[in-house]
Amino acid sequence: MDTLVVERWQRDREEFIQHARSLGAVVLERNAFEDPVQQQKDIQWLIDQKVEVLVIIPNDRASLSDVVRKAKDRGILVISYDRLIQNADIDIYISFDNEKVGSLMAQSIVQAVPVGNVLIINGGSNDFNSYMINRGMKEVLRPFLSSGTLKVIDEIWPPEWRNEESRAAVEKVLAEGIVPDGIIAANDFLAASVISALSAKRLAGKVFVTGQDAELAACQRIVEGTQLMTVYKPIKDLAKTAAETAVYVGSGEELRFSQTIFNELKDVPYIALDPILVTRENLESTVIADGFHSYEDVFRETLD
Ligand code: GAL
Protein backbone atom coordinates (compact mmCIF):
# COMPACT_ATOMS: atom_id res chain seq x y z
CA MET A 1 0.00 0.00 0.00
CA ASP A 2 0.98 3.60 -0.61
CA THR A 3 -0.71 5.00 2.48
CA LEU A 4 -3.59 4.63 4.93
CA VAL A 5 -3.92 8.40 5.50
CA VAL A 6 -6.74 8.93 2.97
CA GLU A 7 -9.79 7.27 4.53
CA ARG A 8 -10.74 5.08 1.57
CA TRP A 9 -7.51 3.02 1.69
CA GLN A 10 -8.39 1.80 5.18
CA ARG A 11 -11.49 0.25 3.61
CA ASP A 12 -9.61 -1.18 0.63
CA ARG A 13 -7.22 -2.90 3.03
CA GLU A 14 -10.00 -4.28 5.22
CA GLU A 15 -12.19 -5.50 2.37
CA PHE A 16 -9.31 -7.01 0.38
CA ILE A 17 -7.80 -8.96 3.30
CA GLN A 18 -11.24 -10.22 4.38
CA HIS A 19 -12.18 -11.41 0.89
CA ALA A 20 -8.79 -12.87 -0.01
CA ARG A 21 -8.71 -14.86 3.24
CA SER A 22 -12.26 -16.10 2.59
CA LEU A 23 -10.91 -17.54 -0.67
CA GLY A 24 -8.16 -19.36 1.23
CA ALA A 25 -5.30 -16.94 0.56
CA VAL A 26 -2.61 -15.94 3.05
CA VAL A 27 -2.15 -12.16 2.89
CA LEU A 28 1.12 -10.33 3.66
CA GLU A 29 0.99 -6.52 3.69
CA ARG A 30 3.33 -3.56 3.62
CA ASN A 31 2.59 0.19 3.87
CA ALA A 32 5.09 2.56 2.20
CA PHE A 33 3.85 5.63 4.10
CA GLU A 34 3.86 7.62 0.81
CA ASP A 35 7.58 6.96 0.24
CA PRO A 36 8.36 5.60 -3.28
CA VAL A 37 11.78 4.25 -2.23
CA GLN A 38 10.26 2.46 0.75
CA GLN A 39 7.64 0.98 -1.58
CA GLN A 40 10.37 -0.54 -3.80
CA LYS A 41 11.91 -2.11 -0.67
CA ASP A 42 8.47 -3.35 0.43
CA ILE A 43 7.91 -5.07 -2.90
CA GLN A 44 11.40 -6.62 -2.82
CA TRP A 45 10.66 -7.91 0.69
CA LEU A 46 7.41 -9.49 -0.50
CA ILE A 47 9.21 -11.10 -3.45
CA ASP A 48 11.74 -12.51 -0.96
CA GLN A 49 8.82 -13.99 1.01
CA LYS A 50 8.02 -15.91 -2.20
CA VAL A 51 4.52 -14.49 -2.67
CA GLU A 52 2.68 -15.83 -5.72
CA VAL A 53 0.73 -12.61 -6.37
CA LEU A 54 1.58 -8.94 -5.79
CA VAL A 55 -1.30 -6.43 -5.46
CA ILE A 56 0.29 -2.97 -5.62
CA ILE A 57 -1.16 0.51 -4.99
CA PRO A 58 1.72 2.58 -6.40
CA ASN A 59 2.81 5.75 -4.62
CA ASP A 60 4.74 6.87 -7.71
CA ARG A 61 3.30 5.79 -11.07
CA ALA A 62 6.76 5.63 -12.69
CA SER A 63 9.25 4.14 -10.24
CA LEU A 64 8.42 0.43 -10.07
CA SER A 65 9.69 -0.83 -13.45
CA ASP A 66 12.74 -2.65 -12.05
CA VAL A 67 11.11 -4.28 -9.06
CA VAL A 68 8.13 -5.41 -11.16
CA ARG A 69 10.66 -6.93 -13.61
CA LYS A 70 12.13 -8.97 -10.73
CA ALA A 71 8.63 -10.13 -9.75
CA LYS A 72 7.82 -11.19 -13.31
CA ASP A 73 11.15 -13.04 -13.60
CA ARG A 74 9.91 -15.15 -10.65
CA GLY A 75 6.53 -15.80 -12.27
CA ILE A 76 4.64 -13.63 -9.81
CA LEU A 77 1.24 -12.25 -10.97
CA VAL A 78 1.32 -8.43 -10.61
CA ILE A 79 -1.96 -6.56 -10.13
CA SER A 80 -1.96 -2.73 -10.28
CA TYR A 81 -4.67 -1.84 -7.75
CA ASP A 82 -6.70 1.31 -8.45
CA ARG A 83 -3.68 3.21 -9.80
CA LEU A 84 -1.81 2.35 -13.00
CA ILE A 85 1.87 1.42 -12.66
CA GLN A 86 3.52 2.87 -15.76
CA ASN A 87 6.39 1.47 -17.82
CA ALA A 88 6.29 -1.91 -16.10
CA ASP A 89 5.32 -5.45 -17.11
CA ILE A 90 2.18 -5.62 -14.94
CA ASP A 91 -0.53 -8.19 -15.65
CA ILE A 92 -3.72 -6.22 -14.96
CA TYR A 93 -5.00 -2.81 -13.81
CA ILE A 94 -8.12 -3.06 -11.69
CA SER A 95 -9.73 0.29 -10.94
CA PHE A 96 -12.75 2.45 -11.64
CA ASP A 97 -13.40 4.37 -14.85
CA ASN A 98 -11.27 7.30 -13.71
CA GLU A 99 -12.08 9.42 -16.75
CA LYS A 100 -15.73 9.10 -15.78
CA VAL A 101 -14.83 10.28 -12.25
CA GLY A 102 -13.50 13.49 -13.81
CA SER A 103 -16.48 13.94 -16.12
CA LEU A 104 -18.93 13.51 -13.22
CA MET A 105 -17.13 16.28 -11.33
CA ALA A 106 -17.15 18.60 -14.35
CA GLN A 107 -20.81 17.83 -15.19
CA SER A 108 -21.77 18.80 -11.63
CA ILE A 109 -19.83 22.05 -11.85
CA VAL A 110 -21.16 23.14 -15.28
CA GLN A 111 -24.69 22.36 -14.08
CA ALA A 112 -24.22 24.49 -10.96
CA VAL A 113 -22.09 27.14 -12.67
CA PRO A 114 -22.94 27.39 -16.38
CA VAL A 115 -21.37 30.85 -16.39
CA GLY A 116 -18.52 31.99 -14.17
CA ASN A 117 -15.01 31.16 -13.10
CA VAL A 118 -13.54 27.89 -11.86
CA LEU A 119 -10.43 26.87 -9.95
CA ILE A 120 -9.08 23.38 -10.74
CA ILE A 121 -7.12 21.39 -8.16
CA ASN A 122 -5.92 18.18 -9.77
CA GLY A 123 -4.90 15.00 -8.00
CA GLY A 124 -1.29 14.08 -7.23
CA SER A 125 0.89 14.20 -10.33
CA ASN A 126 2.59 11.02 -9.07
CA ASP A 127 -0.72 9.18 -9.70
CA PHE A 128 -1.75 8.31 -13.26
CA ASN A 129 -5.39 8.43 -12.13
CA SER A 130 -5.01 12.21 -11.85
CA TYR A 131 -4.38 12.47 -15.60
CA MET A 132 -7.35 10.24 -16.37
CA ILE A 133 -9.58 12.32 -14.08
CA ASN A 134 -8.30 15.51 -15.74
CA ARG A 135 -8.95 14.11 -19.23
CA GLY A 136 -12.57 13.27 -18.37
CA MET A 137 -13.01 16.67 -16.69
CA LYS A 138 -11.64 18.67 -19.65
CA GLU A 139 -13.77 16.70 -22.12
CA VAL A 140 -16.86 18.11 -20.38
CA LEU A 141 -15.47 21.59 -19.69
CA ARG A 142 -14.09 22.15 -23.22
CA PRO A 143 -17.25 23.59 -24.91
CA PHE A 144 -17.86 25.91 -21.94
CA LEU A 145 -14.26 27.12 -22.00
CA SER A 146 -14.14 27.65 -25.77
CA SER A 147 -17.45 29.55 -25.72
CA GLY A 148 -16.03 31.66 -22.90
CA THR A 149 -18.99 31.15 -20.56
CA LEU A 150 -16.62 29.39 -18.14
CA LYS A 151 -13.13 30.57 -17.28
CA VAL A 152 -10.44 28.58 -15.46
CA ILE A 153 -8.83 31.19 -13.21
CA ASP A 154 -6.12 28.78 -12.06
CA GLU A 155 -5.25 25.09 -12.32
CA ILE A 156 -2.74 23.34 -10.05
CA TRP A 157 -1.10 19.91 -10.12
CA PRO A 158 0.00 19.01 -6.57
CA PRO A 159 2.99 16.61 -6.65
CA GLU A 160 1.10 14.18 -4.37
CA TRP A 161 -2.38 13.71 -2.91
CA ARG A 162 -1.51 16.12 -0.11
CA ASN A 163 -3.50 19.20 0.76
CA GLU A 164 -0.90 21.93 1.35
CA GLU A 165 -1.02 23.14 -2.28
CA SER A 166 -4.82 23.06 -2.51
CA ARG A 167 -5.25 25.25 0.56
CA ALA A 168 -2.60 27.69 -0.72
CA ALA A 169 -4.23 27.85 -4.18
CA VAL A 170 -7.57 28.90 -2.66
CA GLU A 171 -5.97 31.45 -0.34
CA LYS A 172 -4.05 32.90 -3.31
CA VAL A 173 -7.11 33.61 -5.48
CA LEU A 174 -9.09 34.93 -2.50
CA ALA A 175 -6.17 37.23 -1.61
CA GLU A 176 -6.37 38.56 -5.20
CA GLY A 177 -9.97 39.49 -4.47
CA ILE A 178 -11.39 36.75 -6.71
CA VAL A 179 -14.11 34.43 -5.40
CA PRO A 180 -14.36 31.35 -7.68
CA ASP A 181 -17.90 30.27 -8.56
CA GLY A 182 -16.76 26.65 -8.53
CA ILE A 183 -13.73 24.65 -7.41
CA ILE A 184 -13.03 21.23 -8.87
CA ALA A 185 -11.08 19.34 -6.19
CA ALA A 186 -9.92 15.91 -7.34
CA ASN A 187 -10.88 14.10 -4.12
CA ASP A 188 -12.59 14.66 -0.77
CA PHE A 189 -9.28 14.94 1.07
CA LEU A 190 -8.38 17.98 -1.10
CA ALA A 191 -11.97 19.27 -0.93
CA ALA A 192 -11.74 19.37 2.87
CA SER A 193 -8.78 21.77 2.78
CA VAL A 194 -10.44 23.85 0.05
CA ILE A 195 -13.62 24.22 2.12
CA SER A 196 -11.69 25.03 5.26
CA ALA A 197 -9.82 27.80 3.39
CA LEU A 198 -13.19 29.11 2.12
CA SER A 199 -14.75 28.99 5.57
CA ALA A 200 -11.89 31.13 6.92
CA LYS A 201 -13.38 33.87 4.69
CA ARG A 202 -16.98 32.90 5.50
CA LEU A 203 -17.39 31.58 1.94
CA ALA A 204 -18.07 27.92 2.71
CA GLY A 205 -21.39 26.96 1.06
CA LYS A 206 -21.14 29.90 -1.32
CA VAL A 207 -18.67 28.20 -3.71
CA PHE A 208 -19.49 24.86 -5.38
CA VAL A 209 -16.80 22.30 -4.50
CA THR A 210 -16.42 18.77 -5.93
CA GLY A 211 -14.71 15.67 -4.56
CA GLN A 212 -14.51 11.88 -4.83
CA ASP A 213 -14.30 8.87 -2.46
CA ALA A 214 -17.55 9.50 -0.56
CA GLU A 215 -15.58 10.03 2.66
CA LEU A 216 -17.88 10.36 5.69
CA ALA A 217 -16.83 13.97 6.26
CA ALA A 218 -17.56 14.76 2.60
CA CYS A 219 -21.05 13.21 2.82
CA GLN A 220 -21.68 15.31 5.94
CA ARG A 221 -20.50 18.42 4.05
CA ILE A 222 -22.90 17.57 1.22
CA VAL A 223 -25.73 17.43 3.78
CA GLU A 224 -24.71 20.77 5.31
CA GLY A 225 -24.32 22.30 1.82
CA THR A 226 -20.60 23.15 1.80
CA GLN A 227 -19.68 20.44 -0.74
CA LEU A 228 -21.63 20.03 -4.00
CA MET A 229 -20.95 16.37 -4.76
CA THR A 230 -18.65 13.42 -4.37
CA VAL A 231 -18.08 10.26 -6.40
CA TYR A 232 -18.84 6.97 -4.67
CA LYS A 233 -16.59 4.14 -5.76
CA PRO A 234 -17.81 0.90 -4.15
CA ILE A 235 -14.56 -0.22 -2.52
CA LYS A 236 -15.99 -3.62 -1.65
CA ASP A 237 -16.50 -4.34 -5.37
CA LEU A 238 -12.97 -3.22 -6.22
CA ALA A 239 -11.39 -5.21 -3.40
CA LYS A 240 -13.49 -8.29 -4.22
CA THR A 241 -12.50 -8.16 -7.89
CA ALA A 242 -8.85 -7.80 -6.94
CA ALA A 243 -9.00 -10.61 -4.38
CA GLU A 244 -10.73 -12.96 -6.82
CA THR A 245 -8.29 -12.11 -9.60
CA ALA A 246 -5.37 -12.65 -7.23
CA VAL A 247 -6.61 -16.07 -6.09
CA TYR A 248 -8.16 -17.45 -9.29
CA VAL A 249 -5.78 -16.05 -11.90
CA GLY A 250 -2.93 -16.48 -9.41
CA SER A 251 -3.69 -20.19 -9.36
CA GLY A 252 -3.82 -20.50 -13.12
CA GLU A 253 -7.31 -19.53 -14.25
CA GLU A 254 -7.72 -17.56 -17.48
CA LEU A 255 -7.77 -13.74 -17.01
CA ARG A 256 -10.93 -12.32 -18.62
CA PHE A 257 -11.03 -8.61 -19.56
CA SER A 258 -12.82 -6.40 -22.06
CA GLN A 259 -10.43 -3.46 -22.50
CA THR A 260 -6.76 -2.52 -22.20
CA ILE A 261 -4.86 0.65 -21.33
CA PHE A 262 -1.37 1.53 -22.57
CA ASN A 263 1.07 2.01 -19.67
CA GLU A 264 4.04 3.26 -21.77
CA LEU A 265 5.36 -0.29 -22.01
CA LYS A 266 2.41 -2.49 -23.01
CA ASP A 267 -1.36 -2.69 -23.47
CA VAL A 268 -2.44 -3.71 -19.97
CA PRO A 269 -5.77 -5.52 -19.39
CA TYR A 270 -7.98 -2.96 -17.58
CA ILE A 271 -11.01 -3.82 -15.44
CA ALA A 272 -12.82 -0.49 -14.92
CA LEU A 273 -15.67 -0.47 -12.40
CA ASP A 274 -18.41 2.14 -12.55
CA PRO A 275 -18.15 5.24 -10.32
CA ILE A 276 -21.40 6.76 -8.96
CA LEU A 277 -22.25 10.47 -8.73
CA VAL A 278 -23.45 11.37 -5.22
CA THR A 279 -25.29 14.60 -4.39
CA ARG A 280 -27.69 15.62 -1.60
CA GLU A 281 -30.53 14.00 -3.59
CA ASN A 282 -29.19 10.46 -3.77
CA LEU A 283 -27.01 10.06 -0.66
CA GLU A 284 -29.58 7.69 0.85
CA SER A 285 -30.03 5.52 -2.22
CA THR A 286 -26.26 5.13 -2.75
CA VAL A 287 -23.71 5.29 0.09
CA ILE A 288 -26.31 4.65 2.81
CA ALA A 289 -28.24 1.96 0.95
CA ASP A 290 -24.87 0.27 0.24
CA GLY A 291 -23.94 0.38 3.93
CA PHE A 292 -20.84 2.44 3.10
CA HIS A 293 -21.92 4.93 5.81
CA SER A 294 -24.84 4.88 8.26
CA TYR A 295 -27.76 7.31 8.05
CA GLU A 296 -26.97 8.50 11.60
CA ASP A 297 -23.37 9.29 10.76
CA VAL A 298 -24.13 11.10 7.51
CA PHE A 299 -27.10 13.10 8.80
CA ARG A 300 -25.58 13.58 12.26
CA GLU A 301 -25.93 17.39 12.22
CA THR A 302 -29.59 17.32 11.23
CA LEU A 303 -30.68 14.80 13.86
CA ASP A 304 -32.00 16.48 17.01
C1 GAL B 1 -6.32 8.01 -6.01
C2 GAL B 1 -7.75 7.53 -6.05
C3 GAL B 1 -8.65 8.39 -5.25
C4 GAL B 1 -7.99 9.39 -4.35
C5 GAL B 1 -6.52 9.23 -4.05
C6 GAL B 1 -6.20 9.28 -2.59
O1 GAL B 1 -5.52 7.14 -6.69
O2 GAL B 1 -8.21 7.44 -7.37
O3 GAL B 1 -9.57 7.56 -4.61
O4 GAL B 1 -8.68 9.53 -3.14
O5 GAL B 1 -5.93 8.14 -4.66
O6 GAL B 1 -5.14 8.53 -2.20
Side-chain angles (χ1 to χ4, degrees):
M1 300 199 78
D2 164 29
T3 177
L4 285 167
V5 167
V6 175
E7 182 184 297
R8 57 126 331 155
W9 299 116
Q10 297 153 28
R11 283 179 185 269
D12 293 272
R13 178 185 169 281
E14 195 68 38
E15 298 275 359
F16 177 85
I17 291 177
Q18 200 179 346
H19 203 78
R21 284 191 179 146
S22 75
L23 296 174
V26 169
V27 181
L28 287 78
E29 60 177 304
R30 276 285 179 272
N31 178 352
F33 297 98
E34 301 178 51
D35 176 342
V37 173
Q38 180 55 46
Q39 188 161 62
Q40 291 163 23
K41 291 178 186 156
D42 288 345
I43 295 170
Q44 184 57 59
W45 181 82
L46 288 163
I47 291 171
D48 296 342
Q49 305 309 310
K50 303 205 179 332
V51 295
E52 294 163 274
V53 183
L54 274 169
V55 179
I56 304 173
I57 302 162
N59 164 267
D60 177 351
R61 59 193 159 86
S63 68
L64 298 179
S65 309
D66 294 345
V67 74
V68 167
R69 177 73 272 135
K70 289 185 189 155
K72 293 313 297 171
D73 290 348
R74 286 163 182 74
I76 295 172
L77 177 75
V78 179
I79 298 172
S80 206
Y81 184 100
D82 201 37
R83 296 175 176 170
L84 184 64
I85 298 171
Q86 287 185 298
N87 216 354
D89 183 21
I90 55 176
D91 294 286
I92 181 166
Y93 169 47
I94 303 175
S95 184
F96 291 90
D97 179 343
N98 292 299
E99 288 199 20
K100 184 169 179 190
V101 170
S103 56
L104 291 173
M105 292 176 180
Q107 280 158 16
S108 304
I109 281 291
V110 298
Q111 203 173 348
V113 183
V115 180
N117 60 43
V118 175
L119 173 63
I120 298 177
I121 294 167
N122 290 292
S125 57
N126 61 346
D127 179 355
F128 190 70
N129 287 359
S130 304
Y131 299 89
M132 297 173 80
I133 293 164
N134 184 274
R135 199 178 309 138
M137 183 200 300
K138 291 296 175 63
E139 202 62 42
V140 170
L141 291 179
R142 190 163 296 116
F144 294 85
L145 300 179
S146 45
S147 71
T149 55
L150 267 189
K151 203 161 85 53
V152 173
I153 46 173
D154 199 3
E155 174 168 12
I156 66 161
W157 284 91
E160 296 184 82
W161 287 97
R162 301 177 66 83
N163 56 25
E164 294 84 356
E165 284 83 2
S166 51
R167 178 182 298 279
V170 175
E171 287 166 353
K172 178 168 165 283
V173 290
L174 294 181
E176 289 158 4
I178 304 166
V179 180
D181 299 289
I183 300 178
I184 297 183
N187 78 343
D188 293 338
F189 186 67
L190 301 178
S193 58
V194 162
I195 291 162
S196 116
L198 289 170
S199 63
K201 302 284 182 195
R202 312 182 67 71
L203 289 168
K206 297 185 172 49
V207 178
F208 296 105
V209 180
T210 71
Q212 75 160 314
D213 291 330
E215 288 190 357
L216 177 57
C219 295
Q220 291 166 340
R221 291 194 295 265
I222 289 171
V223 171
E224 77 184 7
T226 52
Q227 185 165 331
L228 174 63
M229 56 71 79
T230 186
V231 178
Y232 171 44
K233 306 188 308 186
I235 299 294
K236 67 178 182 304
D237 297 346
L238 180 67
K240 185 165 176 285
T241 305
E244 288 175 354
T245 303
V247 172
Y248 300 144
V249 180
S251 45
E253 273 193 34
E254 177 80 11
L255 173 64
R256 281 186 298 283
F257 57 94
S258 55
Q259 61 180 317
T260 62
I261 183 167
F262 187 61
N263 80 333
E264 306 302 317
L265 177 73
K266 60 189 270 194
D267 289 321
V268 178
Y270 174 19
I271 295 181
L273 304 182
D274 223 20
I276 299 156
L277 170 66
V278 172
T279 60
R280 179 67 184 78
E281 287 65 43
N282 71 340
L283 266 170
E284 294 179 61
S285 60
T286 55
V287 294
I288 292 170
D290 249 18
F292 197 66
H293 297 307
S294 72
Y295 182 92
E296 292 68 27
D297 283 344
V298 170
F299 291 88
R300 156 202 75 171
E301 291 300 318
T302 58
L303 303 175
D304 43 53

